[in-house]
Structures are given as structure tokens and as C-alpha cells.
Amino acid sequence: MILRYVIVCFIALSFVACDKGVKPAKKDGFLKVDGQNFVDSKGRQVILSGINFISKDPNEKYMPLQGKETFEQFESWGFNCIRLGIIWDGLEPEPGQYNEAYLKEIDKRIEWASEHGLYVFLDMHQDLYGAKFSDGAPDWATLDEGKPHQKGAVWSDSYLISPAVQAAFDNFWNNAPAPDGIGVQDHYVKLWQHIAMRYAHNTTVIGYDLMNEPFMGTSAQEVMPLMLGAYAQVLAEETGQEPPSADELGAMWADEESRLKALELIATKEKYSKVVDAVYDLSAKFERTHLQSMYQKVANAIRQVDTNHILFFNHNYFVNTGVSTALEATTLPDGSRDPQVAYAAHGYDLVVDTKEVENPSYERVEFIFERIAESGKRMDMPVLLGEWGALHGKSPKMVETAQHLVNLIEKYDFSNTYWAYYGDIADYPYFQDAIIRPFPQVISGKLISYDFDFETGEFFMQWDEEAVNQAPTIIYLPWLSSINEEISIKPESEKLETEQIKNSDAGWLMVPPTEKGGTRTMTIQFLLQDKEEYLILEQ
């Protein structure tokens, strides 16, 4: 296909440097937090959009096998941020001994990201606590007291039914001594300090995601009785019958088929909130004590060696379901609030990791995202949706599901990193027809709203431009050859610069400020048929 965006752009606006323009500047300063926004070194608001990049496989030495060319793909897909998973088992195979070879592999991925204009934040990942059960802590730090490990219908059921997993978490929160006599949590804190010291002056690295989906341990045994009890009341109200017994509820939840059937009852916001809010007090107690304390210890250690990077806080495991988080910002040594903190929430519907993943309750998902947005405002932090999606399959329904999630991300102006990258992800329709989309990467001022209409192909953006900031607004455009004549920007700019990304139909549109400030709007119309034709030819 002949790229014809040079011709059509001149119809409405004056474009320059369409072929070899001024590429968006490499990261020349630290990304910072300003209230509920991320801002770059020029004071512009930044929307982060990217993907999780991780290997949980010790046979791969906990590092994805894909090379530098994958980061070139990330750039062409419009990603400007990577959540790079790192594994405690790979970092500290023996107490106090750090794996320099693994750290150098991390260094390499950070450098590749830098070469392609991508930010990186490091995610200390765990699932079911440690490598003994899934991934995360090394065996020497997994103090399970010899208790049995049990598995359920879904992998995550082990959080609720495995005495070994729960004991390991209990001992972590209680800082029980590791084999060398040092508390296991203290080891974790020192590891984070070692990592922070290494990247303290690296501007590609934006921060540290301190723990993936922290789990409360044995006290989680109280969660399901509370949730199922609330579910029983909702069921009784719906049917007018006596609520089922505890044994009947337990049997229903233990079987995947009956569990998925039961979820149909709580598909509305009103009914669902009654179930998840039943565990708020228990969840908040854990977060206000054990989790907040651990985050503060890690923050203290990091701030001794690194005051530049953002600390990302993930809520506890059960908050993924829409329970409100009780977390607060950590503090500095003088007791003041640490200004460089952000909320790295995760948002999934309850059908994730099941065969019904493409049939979520849209109301339930909307409720979960509303709660995340409310918590971000309460804590006065930017929200970076660290995980969302986990989609698979190539059906039209999966595309619809993905587009619904993207619409919510745009509604709340969330930064985000999709879960997760895999080798043939570009072959999936939901990826090409939902995740790849135009969006504002950098805004000279403050974003008011933006939206991409998947049906009409119209991109709309509105922002308050700052007169004092003369750096351009930068918008990622995935299909330069499919831009229609209907482009408008008000107030107009004299010149708009574009750059096409190498080996791609994508590029950036750079909008210079008017020097007057005030509200600006932009509309770009894409011809979706042309976009589809290009993708076919590209493949």
C-alpha cells in the first residue's frame, strides 16, 4: 500500500518532517509524580501505556528469551512503558548473595528499552509466594513449616486452600528468621535497596513495583466465609428462599462449573458490591498493619540510596476483586509524605484464568475500575493499572471484551501495562483491534479527556495547554496511511511534525503549543478499512 498521509495531512494542516522528523526526545530526566499525574522533565503530563514482560521459568533464568527486536516491536505498537518482571529466586539464590549475571540481563533489557524510547518499572513478582509453589521467593526464604501444599480448580485457589502457601506468607509478614538468622522480610528489604542503588541514576527506570499482589496469609481463611455468607444473603433476597448452608456454598465454590454459574447472580454493581464489601474490614486491617509496614520498611531502605524513582504500591490480592484499598502513601524520614509514590492497581473480573474469560460481567468490571479510580483520588496518587486483561482466544467476543476494558482505561485516564506479552500476541484480533490504538503519550499541560471510537475510527482529545511550556504534545498514531482528511485542531498550530517509526505504518504526531495557553481540542479520523488492508499486507 502506498503511504498517502503526506498528501492528506496537507489538506487540513501543515505537516512537516513526515519522513524523517524530530523523533520524540529520549528520556533526559526522571519521570516524576505531580498530584494524580505523571510528568516528564519538561513538566508535561505523561500517559504510560505498555505491557508486562516477564518470565517465571527458572529454565529461562527468569528472563524472557525474546531479544532486542521485541523492543522494536513494542515501540511500533505505541508502547512507552514496560513492567519488567524480576524474581526474588533469581536475584538472591542464597541468603545475602545477589546474582550479578541475572542483574546484567535486567540491565540489558533496560538498555534496549532506552534505545526505543520506553520507560521501565521493575516488578518484584510472586505467585503463591515462591518458586516452591509457583514463582517468587527462593526456597531458603519459603518458611512453610513443612505444611502440605494443595491445589484447586484454578491455580490461584491455592492461596485459599494451601496451608504451605499461607504459612510462608505468615512468616514473611512476621519477619521470621531465615536460615542465616536474619529476618526473611529484612532480606527482602535489603534486596530492594541493592536494586535501587544499582538504578538510582537511570532515567529509563521510572520506579519500583514493590510486591506483586501481596497475600495476607492464614487470615485469608476468613475471607471466603465472609464472601460466601454475603453471597448467600443476596441469593436469598433474589429467590425468597432460605440461604444455602456453609457446606453447600463451599461445594459450589470448589467446582469451577458451579462457581462460574454462581457468578451470574452477582453480575450487577449493586449485588456484587454487597459480596466484596463484606471483606473490607479484614482486608483493610491487613493492609494497614502488615502491608503498610512492609512498604514503609522498603521505602526507608530505598530512600537511603535513591530519592529519584517512584515507588509503586500494589494493593493486597483480594482488592483485585473491587474491595477498596486502605493503603496510604509512605513517608520520608522527617515524617512528611513521600511525593514520589503511585498506585499500581490490578483490575480483573472474576472470570479471569477460567474458560469464561471472554464472558465477563461488564458491570462488575466497571465497578472494579470505579473503585480503583476512587482509591487513586483518595490517596492523591497517579493510577498505573499494572495488570489488566489476561485475554486469550481469537473470537469476536474477545475483541469486544478488550475494547470495553480499553474504554474504561481511557475514561479514567489510567496509565497501564497489559498482562502480558507472549510471542504471537500480534496475531490475536483483540490485540490489533483494541490494544493497538492512538493515544496521547505526552501532553503539554493537563489532559482533560481522550477517546478512540473503535466503531467509527475517530480519535478525540482535549487538554488544557500551559502557556509557559513550549515543549510539544505527542500523540501516538498507529496507522499513518489511514488518516482521513477530517483532521481538526483548535486553536490551530502553524506546523505539526510527524515521524514514522521504522518498518511500521505507525508514528508520532507532535503538536507545538500556541504560546497562549488555554483549552485545545483535536479530532483525527482514521479510515478503518485502509487500516485493515495495511495490516493484511504487513503480515
Side-chain angles (χ1 to χ4, degrees):
M1 173 176 286
I2 299 174
L3 296 182
R4 63 195 199 307
Y5 70 100
V6 178
I7 299 172
V8 299
C9 290
F10 267 104
I11 295 175
L13 301 168
S14 177
F15 274 72
V16 299
C18 284
D19 208 15
K20 290 190 177 288
V22 181
K23 186 174 182 176
K26 291 180 75 69
K27 312 300 183 286
D28 57 357
F30 291 101
L31 194 76
K32 296 291 186 181
V33 168
D34 180 9
Q36 294 178 41
N37 298 318
F38 298 108
V39 296
D40 68 7
S41 58
K42 295 181 174 64
R44 297 174 295 180
Q45 183 181 350
V46 174
I47 299 293
L48 300 168
S49 185
I51 199 163
N52 283 259
F53 192 59
I54 184 172
S55 170
K56 305 178 185 181
D57 187 349
N59 295 320
E60 296 178 352
K61 299 181 179 179
Y62 297 121
M63 191 55 62
L65 300 179
Q66 292 84 0
K68 184 177 179 180
E69 69 284 350
T70 301
F71 288 75
E72 182 178 347
Q73 283 184 319
F74 290 161
E75 181 182 36
S76 69
W77 291 335
F79 298 157
N80 61 355
C81 182
I82 300 299
R83 183 178 185 238
L84 181 61
I86 57 177
I87 306 293
W88 187 4
D89 184 44
L91 289 161
E92 192 179 4
E94 299 295 336
Q97 298 179 15
Y98 303 127
N99 185 349
E100 183 64 20
Y102 185 36
L103 286 163
K104 286 182 177 178
E105 289 300 315
I106 296 169
D107 293 344
K108 189 184 298 182
R109 273 71 183 177
I110 293 170
E111 180 58 31
W112 291 344
S114 177
E115 291 173 8
H116 291 283
L118 304 166
Y119 289 115
V120 173
F121 67 107
L122 301 175
D123 153 43
M124 190 73 78
H125 208 84
Q126 69 78 29
D127 296 293
L128 304 181
Y129 186 78
K132 186 173 183 180
F133 313 119
S134 181
D135 60 88
D139 286 357
W140 62 262
T142 304
L143 309 180
D144 62 6
E145 303 172 7
K147 293 183 177 180
H149 175 54
Q150 296 180 9
K151 300 180 181 180
V154 181
W155 72 268
S156 56
D157 288 349
S158 291
Y159 278 121
L160 299 171
I161 65 176
S162 173
V165 169
Q166 293 176 2
F169 272 106
D170 286 346
N171 283 306
F172 178 84
W173 301 124
N174 294 328
N175 201 23
D180 63 352
I182 298 173
V184 66
Q185 189 178 122
D186 290 338
H187 272 291
Y188 192 80
V189 170
K190 290 181 180 180
L191 172 60
W192 262 123
Q193 186 178 61
H194 183 78
I195 292 168
M197 189 181 304
R198 189 180 190 94
Y199 300 112
H201 303 291
N202 190 308
T203 56
T204 298
V205 176
I206 61 173
Y208 314 116
D209 197 343
L210 302 187
M211 178 178 280
N212 179 70
E213 298 184 354
F215 182 73
M216 61 179 64
T218 303
S219 61
Q221 294 176 10
E222 302 174 49
V223 169
M224 289 314 297
L226 290 170
M227 278 193 170
L228 291 176
Y231 178 89
Q233 291 302 315
V234 172
L235 182 60
E237 293 171 5
E238 181 74 12
T239 63
Q241 301 174 356
E242 287 294 313
S245 68
D247 288 343
E248 290 171 329
L249 289 167
M252 172 201 72
W253 199 256
D255 179 73
E256 184 176 0
E257 290 287 346
S258 61
R259 183 189 310 182
L260 292 171
K261 181 68 176 176
L263 291 179
E264 295 176 6
L265 174 66
I266 50 174
T268 67
K269 295 179 183 180
E270 179 185 6
K271 294 176 182 177
Y272 184 61
S273 65
K274 292 179 180 179
V275 174
V276 297
D277 287 347
V279 302
Y280 173 76
D281 289 342
L282 180 65
S283 172
K285 180 180 178 180
F286 166 72
E287 290 193 331
R288 288 171 177 154
T289 54
H290 293 298
L291 186 55
Q292 190 77 44
S293 174
M294 186 273 286
Y295 280 161
Q296 187 63 58
K297 285 173 65 174
V298 176
N300 292 343
I302 289 176
R303 289 304 182 227
Q304 290 176 11
V305 299
D306 181 355
T307 59
N308 292 316
H309 287 94
I310 300 167
L311 305 182
F312 291 91
F313 303 134
N314 190 192
H315 50 227
N316 87 76
Y317 172 79
F318 291 106
V319 175
N320 285 1
T321 63
V323 182
S324 295
T325 183
L327 287 174
E328 302 285 353
T330 50
T331 57
L332 298 173
D334 64 1
S336 64
R337 174 192 171 108
D338 191 330
Q340 301 305 318
V341 293
Y343 181 28
H346 294 184
Y348 293 113
D349 188 42
L350 299 189
V351 298
V352 71
D353 293 328
T354 75
K355 63 184 181 180
E356 292 297 315
V357 64
E358 67 176 27
N359 293 307
S361 159
Y362 285 178
E363 272 201 54
R364 206 160 51 214
V365 172
E366 289 162 8
F367 173 84
I368 292 168
F369 278 51
E370 285 172 10
R371 283 286 176 87
I372 291 170
E374 290 168 1
S375 294
K377 289 179 180 178
R378 177 187 63 79
M379 294 186 287
D380 194 27
M381 294 181 190
V383 172
L384 192 159
L385 202 61
E387 289 188 21
W388 66 279
L391 306 174
H392 53 77
K394 297 184 177 182
S395 71
K397 178 63 176 177
M398 190 62 72
V399 175
E400 177 188 301
T401 297
Q403 290 179 349
H404 179 254
L405 288 165
V406 168
N407 287 336
L408 291 173
I409 288 170
E410 293 178 346
K411 175 182 178 180
Y412 294 112
D413 295 339
F414 288 161
S415 289
N416 73 94
T417 45
Y418 175 80
W419 182 269
Y421 174 80
Y422 46 87
D424 62 344
I425 195 169
D427 296 335
Y428 284 74
Y430 78 82
F431 185 81
Q432 292 289 354
D433 293 338
I435 296 176
I436 305 301
R437 65 199 186 280
F439 76 98
Q441 292 189 338
V442 183
I443 302 97
S444 184
K446 301 296 182 184
L447 181 65
I448 298 174
S449 67
Y450 77 102
D451 171 73
F452 178 66
D453 190 316
F454 292 102
E455 294 296 323
T456 66
E458 181 179 276
F459 170 79
F460 174 80
M461 173 182 170
Q462 186 176 40
W463 71 104
D464 279 332
E465 196 168 82
E466 295 177 350
V468 296
N469 196 330
Q470 294 305 298
T473 291
I474 301 173
I475 303 165
Y476 168 74
L477 304 177
W479 319 291
L480 290 173
S481 65
S482 298
I483 296 175
N484 196 6
E485 291 85 347
E486 300 299 325
I487 301 172
S488 75
I489 179 169
K490 298 177 182 178
E492 292 187 4
S493 295
E494 290 186 5
K495 294 181 179 179
L496 299 180
E497 296 184 358
T498 63
E499 167 143 353
Q500 187 172 0
I501 298 171
K502 183 180 179 182
N503 300 322
S504 172
D505 191 34
W508 300 281
L509 171 65
M510 283 153 278
V511 183
T514 63
E515 302 182 4
K516 297 178 182 178
T519 301
R520 301 188 75 184
T521 61
M522 169 173 277
T523 302
I524 302 176
Q525 182 68 51
F526 292 90
L527 295 174
L528 296 183
Q529 182 177 0
D530 285 0
K531 167 217 163 185
E532 293 169 0
E533 290 173 358
Y534 179 84
L535 290 174
I536 291 171
L537 290 173
E538 189 180 45
Q539 293 170 1

